[in-house]
Amino acid sequence: MATKTELGPIARERKYTQDKQVDEGLIPRKVPIVCSTRFGIALILHFCNFIMMAQNVIMSITMVAMVNSTSPQSQLNGSPEGLPVDSFGGLNKAPKSLPAKGSMHGGQFAIWGKWGLPHEQNRLCSIALSGLLLGGFTAILISGFIIDTLGWPFVFYVFGGVGCVFCLTWFVVIYDDPVSHPWISASEKEYIISSLKQQVSSSKQPLPIKAMLRSLPIWSICLCSFSHQWLVNTLVVYIPTYISSVYHVNIRDNGLLSALPFIVAYITGVVGGYLADFLLTKNFRLITVRKLATILGSLPPSVLIVSLPYLSSSYITATAFLTLSCGLSTLCQSGIYVNALDIAPRHSSFLMGASRGFSGMAGVIVPTVSGILLSQDPEFGWRNVFFLLFAINMAGVIFYSIFGEADVQDWAKERKLTRL
């Protein structure tokens, strides 16, 4: 009886130790995203995207003033008032340079492959990518004022200086993974590593180019991204011009109408990321969330644009359709634009750069094709441009709906090399 009495507490203590190990190892303590290191990284990426897009936009805005002016004090020639400005306040040719930003995104998704938890990737990516919208809007808003008051060189001084600050911040704060980060808390480090241990491996794998070229899920991402960029470029380049030419109202003259599409798109992009993560917590399938976000970000904006030629009431209705289209289009940030993290976490950086580069071709093709359609048929040219946009977006969404996946592909999984 004495032996049995003595073994009871020992057995209970062992069981308690085992349960504690299970709690600490298999179910790590959850670290809230707010005020966490990974949230801080998302904010830094937000401002890095902000300054990258702003620098992209100011190159086009200051180009004519830079050529016409020989002195920063020459207010007559240095003023942007004589520039060919579109309805958003930017140059009519400016959007052609926007696809150049495609090569900037690859490195960001390599970070989220090691920092972004599966149930947080949508909101973290949406916070980071929303900086692009804010940067373009801010550059358009204040570049003209800087040129008028200080001269065009100061546009580069201001945005270049801000870019240097965020570049230094990037080098100091951003690290490849939580293991190498010196300031992350131990609890958050363990939480991230435990959550991603099935996805991230320290071993380097060769890039399976042939398997990627044969992968239909990758082609669905590339083609749907291309069709969505066709929509975005048409929204930026031609919809404001259409409203100006048809209704003889330049929405640039109204500060609220000029800012509203950007503000709505900015808010919708961030909220869409949180909504996607919320659906995942409600046991929605990952591929369902990806396809739902892509469909909502592509088809409704296309339908709204196609309906523009049939509106004859007022330019307010057309501007409302433009604003709603811009807002909904950013929902794709939680769809096709982060899908590479799902199907190939190890190669997400390369895939995102490749898909962005492929979709960036839309920025070159859209002005050419739309210009031909408008010049050949002045009466129905706008209608043809919008119906072509709808057809391309419908084709991209259908292809992605059929072949899009969210499971890690076989060629993207870790393979252990064996030697004979």
Side-chain angles (χ1 to χ4, degrees):
M1 293 296 294
T3 304
K4 186 175 181 180
T5 305
E6 292 174 359
L7 292 177
I10 296 176
R12 287 196 298 268
E13 184 177 356
R14 288 179 178 176
K15 186 176 184 304
Y16 172 79
T17 303
Q18 292 175 355
D19 293 341
K20 185 177 181 181
Q21 291 176 351
V22 170
D23 291 338
E24 293 178 352
L26 299 179
I27 310 175
R29 186 169 63 89
K30 183 177 180 181
V31 179
I33 187 173
V34 180
C35 299
S36 63
T37 303
R38 59 193 186 277
F39 184 75
I41 291 176
L43 290 180
I44 293 174
L45 287 174
H46 174 92
F47 289 110
C48 287
N49 284 325
F50 167 88
I51 198 62
M52 284 192 297
M53 175 57 76
Q55 291 174 348
N56 197 322
V57 172
I58 64 173
M59 285 296 296
S60 297
I61 294 179
T62 59
M63 189 173 297
V64 177
M66 182 168 49
V67 173
N68 293 339
S69 177
T70 57
S71 172
Q73 287 77 27
S74 178
Q75 296 297 319
L76 179 60
N77 292 330
S79 173
E81 292 180 357
L83 303 183
V85 180
D86 67 11
S87 299
F88 274 138
L91 291 177
N92 283 332
K93 299 300 182 181
K96 290 186 179 181
S97 66
L98 294 181
K101 69 180 184 293
S103 60
M104 304 175 184
H105 294 282
Q108 299 184 29
F109 290 91
I111 291 177
W112 294 131
K114 297 181 179 180
W115 280 92
L117 279 66
H119 61 280
E120 295 178 353
Q121 285 179 351
N122 293 296
R123 75 189 87 170
L124 291 173
C125 290
S126 63
I127 290 172
L129 294 176
S130 61
L132 297 171
L133 294 166
L134 188 62
F137 167 67
T138 304
I140 291 174
L141 186 65
I142 70 175
S143 292
F145 173 77
I146 296 176
I147 294 175
D148 279 333
T149 56
L150 301 175
W152 63 263
F154 284 89
V155 178
F156 295 96
Y157 297 154
V158 172
F159 287 99
V162 176
C164 290
V165 171
F166 286 117
C167 182
L168 293 176
T169 306
W170 171 281
F171 287 129
V172 173
V173 178
I174 303 297
Y175 285 79
D176 290 339
D177 49 51
V179 177
S180 58
H181 202 288
W183 304 315
I184 187 174
S185 64
S187 57
E188 183 180 3
K189 180 189 297 186
E190 184 64 27
Y191 179 52
I192 296 175
I193 293 175
S194 301
S195 301
L196 297 179
K197 61 183 179 181
Q198 300 296 331
Q199 299 185 24
V200 180
S201 173
S202 58
S203 61
K204 294 184 178 180
Q205 300 289 326
L207 200 63
I209 298 294
K210 292 183 179 180
M212 290 179 177
L213 293 176
R214 294 193 298 263
S215 175
L216 286 176
I218 289 182
W219 280 109
S220 68
I221 294 175
C222 292
L223 293 176
C224 194
S225 298
F226 175 86
S227 65
H228 186 259
Q229 284 301 309
W230 191 290
L231 165 67
V232 171
N233 279 273
T234 304
L235 279 171
V236 174
V237 183
Y238 286 103
I239 299 302
T241 305
Y242 170 81
I243 294 176
S244 177
S245 62
V246 172
Y247 299 98
H248 306 289
V249 175
N250 193 340
I251 65 174
R252 178 179 59 88
D253 297 334
N254 189 313
L256 177 61
L257 292 180
S258 177
L260 197 56
F262 290 95
I263 296 174
V264 173
Y266 179 82
I267 296 174
T268 305
V270 176
V271 173
Y274 278 86
L275 180 59
D277 284 338
F278 173 77
L279 293 178
L280 291 177
T281 61
K282 298 301 180 182
N283 296 325
F284 277 71
R285 294 180 60 204
L286 181 58
I287 187 58
T288 302
V289 175
R290 294 284 181 257
K291 291 182 178 180
L292 181 63
T294 301
I295 292 173
L296 293 178
S298 297
L299 289 187
S302 302
V303 172
L304 292 173
I305 292 175
V306 167
S307 62
L308 285 178
Y310 303 97
L311 298 176
S312 57
S313 55
S314 68
Y315 78 96
I316 296 296
T317 305
T319 304
F321 276 35
L322 165 63
T323 302
L324 190 57
S325 298
C326 289
L328 292 175
S329 66
T330 56
L331 293 175
C332 283
Q333 291 179 174
S334 301
I336 49 175
Y337 292 125
V338 295
N339 198 187
L341 286 169
D342 308 321
I343 64 175
R346 288 184 185 83
H347 311 299
S348 59
S349 177
F350 173 81
L351 291 177
M352 288 307 306
S355 63
R356 286 281 183 167
F358 184 87
S359 63
M361 293 189 298
V364 179
I365 300 175
V366 167
T368 303
V369 174
S370 300
I372 294 174
L373 293 176
L374 292 174
S375 61
Q376 288 182 347
D377 192 349
E379 183 178 358
F380 297 102
W382 287 112
R383 190 174 301 176
N384 296 334
V385 169
F386 297 155
F387 271 109
L388 177 63
L389 177 149
F390 179 80
I392 292 176
N393 266 267
M394 179 65 73
V397 169
I398 291 176
F399 193 87
Y400 180 74
S401 299
I402 296 174
F403 298 107
E405 296 182 11
D407 299 324
V408 178
Q409 302 299 292
D410 292 335
W411 49 264
K413 296 179 180 178
E414 182 180 7
R415 296 181 180 181
K416 296 182 179 180
L417 300 178
T418 57
R419 296 182 179 180
L420 298 178

